[in-house]
Amino acid sequence: MSKIFVDTIEPKTSGGNISITNASLVTPDMPIIKLNASSNQGSLTGSTWHNIALQTATIDTHGLKDGNGYTVTADTAGYWVIQAHVRINNYGAWRQILQLTKNGNADMQMEMAGYSDSGSQYKSSILYNMQQLVSGDTITLKFYHASGTTLTSYKDNDGVFLMGWRLRA
């Protein structure tokens, strides 16, 4: 097998594309991150937005972890798929919202509503999103519920996480 060592590959024509006939031979340096809660988060009072604590980077291929979220760099900017999950410990609300924040502002949210049981279940809020992120964008999570009581997140068995991977630059 032959090896070619280069720092940059560029097309012959300015602004052109490079064609690779067998793309399965190419392994891109794709940024992937997964942040998990390392402990249950209590004091999630009703009718209040709560920042979700994500203390542990279980996967972080490009060192993006930043506080309780991640910050995209110039090298990792592009189109990202983002997923998040928060499970509540043995009680749920009739209304639970998981919100993705970008640079501290509400960016996207998914709501779970209308549970028929008021207890004895580990209810989950799930969020899926795909968007373009630019250098400096910081992604974090917030959680809201309307149970009228104080809840606790349940981190066991991957119960609280935020993960993302870049599809392309």
Side-chain angles (χ1 to χ4, degrees):
M1 176 180 3
S2 299
K3 293 183 181 181
I4 300 173
F5 295 94
V6 297
D7 291 323
T8 305
I9 298 175
E10 295 185 19
K12 295 189 289 192
T13 56
S14 178
N17 291 320
I18 297 171
S19 296
I20 299 173
T21 57
N22 190 345
S24 66
L25 298 177
V26 178
T27 304
D29 188 20
M30 180 189 335
I32 303 169
I33 188 163
K34 183 174 183 190
L35 305 176
N36 288 81
S38 60
S39 61
N40 294 339
Q41 184 173 345
S43 301
L44 300 173
T45 55
S47 302
T48 303
W49 285 102
H50 297 277
N51 294 314
I52 297 299
L54 299 162
Q55 304 94 336
T56 305
T58 51
I59 302 170
D60 189 357
T61 61
H62 287 70
L64 302 178
K65 184 173 180 350
D66 185 5
N68 287 312
Y70 66 94
T71 299
V72 173
T73 64
D75 291 338
T76 61
Y79 294 91
W80 281 73
V81 172
I82 302 167
Q83 293 183 354
H85 179 261
V86 172
R87 180 177 293 139
I88 297 303
N89 193 359
N90 206 28
Y91 187 86
W94 288 93
R95 183 175 187 211
Q96 292 181 183
I97 304 171
L98 191 55
Q99 182 181 83
L100 182 73
T101 63
K102 182 165 63 173
N103 304 323
N105 299 310
D107 190 62
M108 187 265 186
Q109 64 189 34
M110 293 184 83
E111 180 172 346
M112 306 293 276
Y115 291 113
S116 61
D117 180 28
S118 62
S120 71
Q121 294 182 14
Y122 293 89
K123 296 185 173 90
S124 296
S125 294
I126 303 166
L127 180 140
Y128 303 96
N129 192 9
M130 181 172 40
Q131 63 177 272
Q132 185 175 17
L133 299 177
V134 299
S135 180
D137 281 346
T138 298
I139 303 300
T140 56
L141 283 180
K142 287 189 174 186
F143 176 77
Y144 175 95
H145 70 89
S147 73
T149 187
T150 299
L151 303 179
T152 300
S153 68
Y154 185 71
K155 61 102 180 163
D156 292 350
N157 303 314
D158 236 7
V160 180
F161 68 80
L162 167 65
M163 66 182 176
W165 59 95
R166 188 181 71 187
L167 294 175
R168 61 182 284 256

